[in-house]
Amino acid sequence: MKGAIITGAARGIGLATAKLLAGDGWKVAMVDRDCEALKAAVGEVPGGVAVFADVSLPEDASRMVDEAKAALGRIDGLVNNAGVALFGPEAETDFAMWREVMATNLDGVFLCSQAARAALNESKGAVVNIASISGHRASTLRVAYGTSKAGVIHLTKQFAAEWGEHGVRVNCIAPGPVDTKLALAVHTPDIRAAYHDSIPLNRYGKEEEIAQGIVFLLSDKASYITGQLLSVDGGFESTGIGLPSLRS
């Protein structure tokens, strides 16, 4: 039975992915630094194993992999999903905020991937990193967040280039706007309407739809895919600017 580590698994896309993988027969180690939320989430995933860790800390990343492998027996997949979303104008983004975003969103991907290298080499497994449309399309208020996600996209290619000879695949998902609890709380009706107008499918994505892309890239169906960015965004990135006015 295959085993996977999913970071940021206490909620949202991470939890949705854990449920899908468990439904496909995978054993799943669910990682998060929010202990109470993770305890509740593990109960929703058959056979899920809770690992409490902060992916921005090198010692936690190493311990996370050790605990996961001990519990699962093997590591065939790593989903680097943990992230923080701190937004604000460049002028109000101090270095502390910049580092907080980078520490989890970019450092965490690097640290967890390195920590899992030996286990993934052994299984010839796969990694899926979670970036964002903000990583390849600049926007206001995202000088730290967008830059961190752009780094994730390139870091994916770097790992794919070096790990391919070991049979390990590394790919990246860039979600568009997703109907998470966070989005529902912070996106005003005006923001939601603007996104709907700019997305060819005229709606936000669902957590499960992002998870389906992740599960595909982890699976043998993607056995010849590595170093790639898959945008799961309803067509948002592909259309660029001007689509709303063309529709009217």
Side-chain angles (χ1 to χ4, degrees):
M1 184 180 292
K2 290 186 175 183
I5 298 172
I6 304 173
T7 69
R11 57 181 62 82
I13 293 168
L15 178 55
T17 303
K19 290 178 179 178
L20 280 180
L21 283 176
D24 284 349
W26 288 60
K27 294 188 289 185
V28 182
M30 301 169 62
V31 181
D32 212 285
R33 64 184 181 185
D34 186 335
C35 295
E36 294 306 313
L38 184 57
K39 288 177 183 177
V42 165
E44 300 181 40
V45 178
V49 176
V51 178
F52 304 106
D54 182 337
V55 301
S56 70
L57 303 175
E59 60 273 20
D60 273 24
S62 296
R63 176 180 55 80
M64 171 197 81
V65 173
D66 290 343
E67 290 187 12
K69 190 173 183 185
L72 306 181
R74 55 185 288 160
I75 304 299
D76 299 271
L78 169 64
V79 181
N80 284 309
N81 169 70
V84 295
L86 301 179
F87 302 142
E90 172 275 324
E92 297 175 14
T93 302
D94 60 18
F95 189 63
M97 176 178 169
W98 173 271
R99 280 306 312 150
E100 182 177 354
V101 172
M102 294 296 169
T104 296
N105 293 6
L106 186 55
D107 297 353
V109 173
F110 173 75
L111 292 170
C112 292
S113 298
Q114 275 202 333
R117 182 201 304 113
L120 291 167
N121 283 351
E122 185 179 329
S123 66
K124 298 191 183 301
V127 179
V128 179
N129 299 323
I130 309 305
S132 167
I133 54 170
S134 296
H136 54 92
R137 185 170 180 173
S139 178
T140 53
L141 310 182
R142 287 165 171 78
V143 64
Y145 181 79
T147 303
S148 74
K149 294 301 188 179
V152 169
I153 293 169
H154 190 75
L155 189 61
T156 297
K157 296 176 182 180
Q158 291 291 154
F159 273 100
E162 295 202 25
W163 287 7
E165 64 183 281
H166 303 289
V168 179
R169 298 180 299 103
V170 187
N171 290 293
C172 188
I173 292 274
V178 181
D179 254 333
T180 61
K181 290 181 180 179
L182 176 63
L184 290 171
V186 302
H187 286 188
T188 64
D190 283 350
I191 290 174
R192 294 184 70 86
Y195 269 130
H196 280 230
D197 282 345
S198 299
I199 297 170
L201 291 184
N202 290 129
R203 64 176 177 85
Y204 280 44
K206 300 175 183 176
E207 295 165 348
E208 293 77 11
E209 291 176 310
I210 312 301
Q212 290 284 3
I214 296 167
V215 170
F216 165 70
L217 289 175
L218 287 177
S219 76
D220 292 338
K221 294 177 181 178
S223 59
Y224 200 53
I225 301 174
T226 194
Q228 300 303 307
L229 170 67
L230 174 62
S231 295
V232 185
D233 63 1
F236 180 64
E237 190 273 334
S238 66
T239 55
I241 298 169
L243 187 58
S245 57
L246 288 175
R247 282 188 179 143
S248 61

